[in-house]
Amino acid sequence: MGESNTSAVDDLLLKEFFAEVSEVERDNEVIRILSCFKLNPFEFMKLSFDSSPEDVKKQYRKLSLMVHPDKCKHPQAKEAFGALAKAQQQLLDQQERDYILSQVTAAKEELRAKRKKQLKKDTASKLKLLVDEGKSEQQYEQSEEFQQELKLKVRELLTEQEWRRRKMAMRISEEEGRLKKDEEEQKEMWKRKREHAEQWEGTREQRS
């Protein structure tokens, strides 16, 4: 019962929110979505990397209503709506989500290693870090500066992985093409041998 009441309140708040949303705001949201880095669904959804599947569903509901082609007049509203739907699907798919979060983890490790090197050069910062027992690092990772660096590093890693995937797909395609060509050449060779044997058989009487 309580969950039902909460849902009703959420619906009411959403209706009030969208009653106040201007066409300009809807258009701006379409533009934002279409300018997002295509390999990171978190960017499309305007969500942090630690967002839960429930957060994803709520955010999708809110953003999709903003850019829905029936409500938004922007000529690319349908494209933006589709991009959001794809982003939600990726983030609710456990395998896809795990893959992206593995890249986030790798990005954090790289940034931490980089910062560790920087701190070694700065004795005062190193001593402060030891005194605070890691509190400074936790604060730093919650900062806007770190979050922006993380976002860019995740983009970099996802791009590298996508490039590797495409190169592998290209190699597989090339190998399949080579095997197909070899198979066709083998068939042609056996065809010629068969035709030659038939011709030889057909001229047996003349050779006798």
Side-chain angles (χ1 to χ4, degrees):
M1 185 70 179
E3 188 176 336
S4 177
N5 288 335
T6 301
S7 179
V9 170
D10 287 345
D11 287 343
L12 182 60
L13 289 173
L14 270 176
K15 286 179 182 178
E16 289 176 355
F17 170 75
F18 287 110
E20 298 172 4
V21 173
S22 69
E23 197 61 41
V24 172
E25 288 173 306
R26 291 181 186 277
D27 287 351
N28 286 341
E29 185 59 21
V30 169
I31 294 167
R32 183 199 69 78
I33 291 168
L34 296 180
S35 64
C36 283
F37 177 62
K38 290 181 169 48
L39 299 177
N40 184 359
F42 283 101
E43 286 193 30
F44 284 96
M45 303 293 286
K46 286 173 72 175
L47 288 172
S48 61
F49 293 121
D50 58 357
S51 300
S52 68
E54 194 57 39
D55 292 331
V56 172
K57 292 176 185 177
K58 286 181 180 179
Q59 185 74 337
Y60 172 74
R61 189 163 175 233
K62 178 181 176 180
L63 297 181
S64 63
L65 285 173
M66 277 194 77
V67 300
H68 194 288
D70 291 344
K71 300 179 183 296
C72 180
K73 296 176 183 177
H74 193 285
Q76 291 180 289
K78 185 176 181 181
E79 187 179 344
F81 184 76
L84 274 181
K86 182 180 178 182
Q88 180 193 222
Q89 184 180 18
Q90 286 179 301
L91 293 178
L92 294 180
D93 182 289
Q94 194 61 49
Q95 189 173 353
E96 288 274 1
R97 185 185 182 86
D98 288 347
Y99 163 68
I100 294 165
L101 291 179
S102 72
Q103 300 307 306
V104 174
T105 300
K108 284 182 178 179
E109 288 174 356
E110 282 196 33
L111 292 176
R112 285 167 182 161
K114 178 184 173 183
R115 181 166 168 79
K116 193 173 181 180
K117 285 182 181 179
Q118 291 173 339
L119 289 174
K120 281 183 179 179
K121 296 177 183 178
D122 185 348
T123 306
S125 295
K126 186 178 180 182
L127 289 172
K128 187 176 188 302
L129 179 62
L130 290 171
V131 171
D132 290 348
E133 297 180 347
K135 289 179 183 178
S136 294
E137 286 305 285
Q138 291 176 8
Q139 290 173 354
Y140 174 67
E141 291 190 9
Q142 291 171 358
S143 70
E144 185 64 32
E145 180 187 354
F146 178 81
Q147 291 303 317
Q148 185 60 27
E149 284 185 356
L150 179 60
K151 180 180 176 180
L152 294 176
K153 178 56 71 173
V154 169
R155 284 186 180 186
E156 181 185 320
L157 295 184
L158 287 172
T159 300
E160 288 175 1
Q161 291 297 329
E162 178 64 12
W163 174 239
R164 289 194 188 103
R165 186 192 67 77
R166 292 188 184 188
K167 279 176 70 176
M168 182 61 70
M170 191 182 299
R171 286 176 186 169
I172 291 172
S173 179
E174 288 172 353
E175 181 63 14
E176 288 175 345
R178 187 187 67 77
L179 290 173
K180 187 176 180 181
K181 183 180 178 183
D182 289 348
E183 185 182 349
E184 289 173 351
E185 287 176 351
Q186 284 288 332
K187 286 181 179 179
E188 185 63 28
M189 182 184 72
W190 284 111
K191 181 183 177 184
R192 287 198 299 269
K193 283 185 176 182
R194 189 169 59 251
E195 288 174 348
H196 179 72
E198 288 172 354
Q199 288 174 0
W200 179 264
E201 186 66 25
T203 57
R204 176 184 290 183
E205 292 182 2
Q206 297 175 9
R207 295 196 307 273
S208 300

